[in-house]
Every structure is written in C-alpha cells, then in structure tokens.
Amino acid sequence: MSMQDQQLEQVRQAIEGFCHNRHKPSFEPHNPMVEAYAEPYSSDEVIAAVNCLLSGDVRMGGETAGLEHDFATRSNSQYGLFCNSGASAKQLCISALCNPKSDNALQPGDEVIVSALAWPSTVWPLIQNQLVPVVVDVQADTLNMTTRSVEAALSPRTRAVFLAHQYGNPCEVDAFIELCKRHELTLLEDCSEANGARYRDQPVGSFGAFGLFSFYHAHHLSTIEGGMVITRNAKMDDLMRILRAHGWVRDVRDPEPYISRHAEMDPQFLFVNQGYNMRPTDLQAVMGRVQLGKLQQVLDDHHRVAARYAEGLNPYAEVITCQRTTEGGYHAWFGFPLTVNEDAPFEVGALRQYLQDAGVECRPISCGNIARQPGFKYVPHRVVGALTNATRVMYHSLSLPVHKGISSEAADHVVRTIQQFMQAHGVKR
C-alpha cells in the first residue's frame, strides 16, 4: 500500500470513528428531545464527499451523470436532470414548457391548477413565466387535490395540472391521468415530499410529463441542497440541460446538430437559448448516490414511526384526524400530519405547546392555504371555491416528526405525551 493509500485509510477510519460516536441514536427519558429532522449523513456520505474533494474535481461531471441515471432508473423514468435545488427543478421544468423551443409552448396568461397546500416554489415559477396559478382545495383526510376540485377549476386557458403528493401521500394518479387526457392537459408531479412513494406499485413522478424532486437537507434523500427532474421526453430533457447552464449546449447528449447549425460559432462556447446557472456539483452527486442506495431503509424507518403514531392516536379519532393514505398508495411519510377537529375541547396551539414542552418538535403543514399568504396578494392568480379544507389545515393542523433517528422509545414518548394531553382535556380513549 502506498503512502497516499495509507493516509486515505487513516482518514476513512477517523471519519468512521467520529461518525459512529456522534450519530448514535439516543433518547433520554429524563431529558427527552424528539427533533423535527434527523442528521441525514453517516460516515458513508462523508467519506464519499472527502474522496471527491481529494480528487480535485468537484464540478458537475461524471458523478452527476451517474446520479441522474441511477435516479431515473429507480423512478421508472428515462431521463434525470440533477440541479442545485428542488425549487430550481421546478423553475427549469416550467421555463422549458414556456420556452419557444418547446412544442406547443405555454403562453403568458395560460393557467396551471395547483393545490392550496402547495409550497411556494411550486407557484413562483408559474408567476415568473407569466402563467396564472389556479388554486383549488384539498381533501380533508388525504390532504391531496381531487379531480372534482380540478374539474371545477377548468377554463379555456387551462393548460396543466400540477399535482402535489402532500407529505408523501400519493394522489389518485390514474384519475388525474384520465382527466388530463380528456382535456388535453399536461400533468406535472411535485414529489418534493414524496421521494420513494408509489401509486399502484409505480413510483410517483413517473406518471406525468415531468416529476420534480427536492434533495434538501431534511428530505428523504439529501444532497445538502439539490433537486431532480425526471421525464421520458428526450427533447425536453435536452432543453432543460441547456437552460440549466446559461443556454449552453455543452451538456446535451448530442451537441453536433447545434454545432452544424451554427458553424460560424466556436463550438466550445455555443449558447443557443436563454438560461440560468442551476448546475449542481459532483460533490453533491456522490452524496446523493450513497443516499439513493439507502432510500428504502429510510422509507422503512418512516413507516415504522408513522405506524406507531397511527396505532397510538387511533383511539382519538373523534377529536383529531390523521392523514389517510390514498387507496393503492405507498406513503413516504415526510411527516405525520394531524388536524384538530372542530368539536375538540382544545386548540391545536395548546397541543403543539404541550408537545414542545415535552421535547417534541412540531411543524405546520406546508405553508397552509397559500392563497392566504401575504405575498400572494401581489401576483395574478385565481381561486376556485372557499378552500375550506386548506384553511382548516392552516389554522388547526400540525405535523409530528418522522425520520430515521426516532427510536421506538422516542416514538412511544410522542404518543404518550399526546395521550397525557388528551387525558388532561377530558378526552377518553
């Protein structure tokens, strides 16, 4: 073994030892803390990142291409496009759909139907491309859009439906596919919270024209920041690659047609469209490839925690509604959403404070009814219906933490805390 190899082995052993001691899951009953998110990285990801750094080449390259291929394959799609965030993935997708080089491009004023529980990064690319978001309500128990709400929102300007698999719960995709075919609409899937979720045994993101994913720090698969677009459309994949890097043709699969068409230009610096700088790095990609191999274990851990919560909270169905998994769906459990019912003898704020006092971190459900957010006042949009369910979620719901770092003992603590709260408010099991 060379001196360099010996040094690398020492670095690897040091990282493994450090991570083993630091990442040991621990729950202290006398000082309980159940955090909203777990540290996503083990020694495997750290070693992969260090090796990439030591290689001297961290730019977007072979590892990025490898992650794109691996993720698309796992997602039952043909092409994957890695970028620097989930928000960028949506921006690239919408910008490509509106680009003059796109077949039947979306035009200013065209409408896209979105969930009232959509995260802002789903909506802002529509606004920035002069499209009009049309906001519809969700189902009270699944928290997902329904075809009924979408049908009610259709207009002559409707061009697309942007599904959101809320908190990892797959939508009834087959019904939306039928609706979109009937009305000649483009189906888009926001899978930011649903990486690994399936509907009728098919991965979410593979049903629509595009599937959009986030690899943010707190998500099922993390590249610190990062996002992915999957599609089966080779032309649109190439267009997004051009838009990802300044309008450059360098990253398309076959640049020769562009080079031949513009023979007067230096092929090394050939820019054929507008563009952004939304490139990722191979440093992120190597971490993502390690994480992708662990995704099913992450999902298994999420299911374990969610199942314990469901079992413990089921006796309180009269006062709280837990998210119902869509029939035929495999839930990814980004969190565990619950809504306090109207006739409950307590408010969600009291429950949330009680949990936090017991060391259990909670979160709101997304940004609530996005149409009520202050920033939405200043953008063109259309609201269909009263958005009653989304508004109720905004003011009467919370999400319990779900992640691989929650031990059985920690999950029991969460359930026991809620049981104690119920007892204190006179709610019987």
Side-chain angles (χ1 to χ4, degrees):
M1 183 182 291
S2 68
M3 177 65 73
Q4 188 176 70
D5 288 339
Q6 291 178 31
Q7 291 171 330
L8 287 173
E9 179 61 20
Q10 290 172 350
V11 169
R12 184 188 65 79
Q13 291 179 7
I15 291 171
E16 286 182 344
F18 177 86
C19 291
H20 176 75
N21 293 328
R22 184 170 182 234
H23 293 165
K24 276 185 179 177
S26 60
F27 178 78
E28 301 175 13
H30 302 296
N31 185 27
M33 173 56 68
V34 184
E35 296 178 323
Y37 306 111
E39 290 188 25
Y41 311 120
S42 71
S43 60
D44 299 329
E45 290 87 350
V46 177
I47 290 169
V50 168
N51 285 339
C52 183
L53 285 166
L54 293 175
S55 75
D57 193 355
V58 299
R59 300 167 298 171
M60 183 178 74
E63 293 292 344
T64 295
L67 177 61
E68 291 172 339
H69 173 270
D70 295 348
F71 191 86
T73 299
R74 192 188 193 283
S75 301
N76 194 28
S77 192
Q78 192 163 359
Y79 305 107
L81 179 90
F82 187 33
C83 55
N84 60 354
S85 74
S88 293
K90 295 171 187 176
Q91 182 68 263
L92 286 170
C93 169
I94 299 302
S95 296
L97 285 169
C98 295
N99 195 275
K101 291 295 184 181
S102 172
D103 295 334
N104 197 22
L106 304 189
Q107 300 299 316
D110 283 346
E111 296 181 345
V112 178
I113 298 175
V114 301
S115 165
L117 293 183
W119 189 249
S121 63
T122 301
V123 173
W124 299 145
L126 305 178
I127 300 297
Q128 290 153 1
N129 282 279
Q130 301 181 63
L131 303 176
V132 178
V134 178
V135 186
V136 301
D137 207 0
V138 297
Q139 199 167 351
D141 53 358
T142 66
L143 305 183
N144 284 334
M145 297 162 61
T146 66
T147 51
R148 180 180 296 181
S149 65
V150 171
E151 290 270 15
L154 294 175
S155 84
R157 295 304 303 266
T158 307
R159 295 291 306 277
V161 176
F162 209 150
L163 291 184
H165 303 291
Q166 204 67 41
Y167 262 65
N169 191 21
C171 296
E172 294 180 354
V173 187
D174 48 6
F176 284 99
I177 291 173
E178 190 278 328
L179 181 150
C180 288
K181 284 182 178 177
R182 183 158 34 94
H183 295 283
E184 298 183 340
L185 305 175
T186 299
L187 181 63
L188 310 173
E189 294 182 74
D190 179 1
C191 309
S192 299
E193 300 170 349
N195 198 347
R198 299 191 294 273
Y199 180 72
R200 303 204 186 284
D201 251 357
Q202 183 172 331
V204 298
S206 64
F207 295 93
F210 299 91
L212 296 312
F213 295 82
S214 171
F215 299 161
Y216 179 60
H217 182 80
H219 289 206
H220 298 83
L221 184 158
S222 171
T223 57
I224 307 174
E225 285 276 10
M228 185 76 73
V229 187
I230 59 172
T231 184
R232 292 188 176 89
N233 188 319
K235 180 178 178 180
M236 293 300 283
D237 179 64
D238 265 355
L239 178 54
M240 288 186 292
R241 290 178 185 280
I242 289 169
L243 297 178
R244 178 177 63 178
H246 313 296
W248 213 340
V249 301
R250 184 172 65 174
D251 298 319
V252 300
R253 277 175 301 280
D254 182 14
E256 190 55 41
Y258 298 98
I259 295 171
S260 299
R261 200 175 307 139
H262 304 283
E264 75 284 4
M265 306 300 295
D266 188 322
Q268 238 183 327
F269 292 104
L270 177 57
F271 301 88
V272 297
N273 210 313
Q274 60 181 300
Y276 312 95
N277 183 3
M278 294 180 173
R279 292 174 295 188
T281 65
D282 269 10
L283 178 62
Q284 294 166 283
V286 294
M287 299 174 74
R289 298 187 79 176
V290 172
Q291 290 246 307
L292 186 60
K294 300 179 178 182
L295 180 56
Q296 189 55 55
Q297 182 58 57
V298 169
L299 292 165
D300 291 345
D301 286 335
H302 284 223
H303 271 255
R304 170 183 56 79
V305 176
R308 178 65 186 102
Y309 291 165
E311 176 191 27
L313 302 184
N314 184 58
Y316 306 110
E318 290 187 2
V319 292
I320 57 174
T321 298
C322 300
Q323 187 182 33
R324 176 179 65 83
T325 301
T326 301
E327 184 178 353
Y330 174 81
H331 204 312
W333 294 113
F334 181 65
F336 191 88
L338 59 86
T339 301
V340 175
N341 298 342
E342 290 184 17
D343 54 355
F346 56 87
E347 297 292 333
V348 72
L351 175 57
R352 184 171 177 177
Q353 188 61 56
Y354 194 89
L355 285 161
Q356 290 178 334
D357 290 344
V360 180
E361 292 186 348
C362 304
R363 292 288 185 270
I365 307 298
S366 188
C367 64
N369 178 356
I370 194 168
R372 292 204 172 196
Q373 290 287 345
F376 223 64
K377 298 175 184 177
Y378 308 108
V379 299
H381 67 280
R382 188 160 65 85
V383 172
V384 178
L387 308 184
T388 303
N389 294 332
T391 301
R392 178 146 197 88
V393 166
M394 188 172 199
Y395 297 115
H396 300 281
S397 299
L398 60 78
S399 174
L400 299 175
V402 175
H403 54 76
K404 64 183 180 181
I406 297 178
S407 65
S408 297
E409 194 176 13
D412 288 343
H413 171 71
V414 175
V415 171
R416 189 165 52 249
T417 300
I418 295 176
Q419 290 172 342
Q420 292 167 353
F421 176 86
M422 295 296 182
Q423 186 177 8
H425 286 78
V427 180
K428 297 180 180 179
R429 300 183 66 178

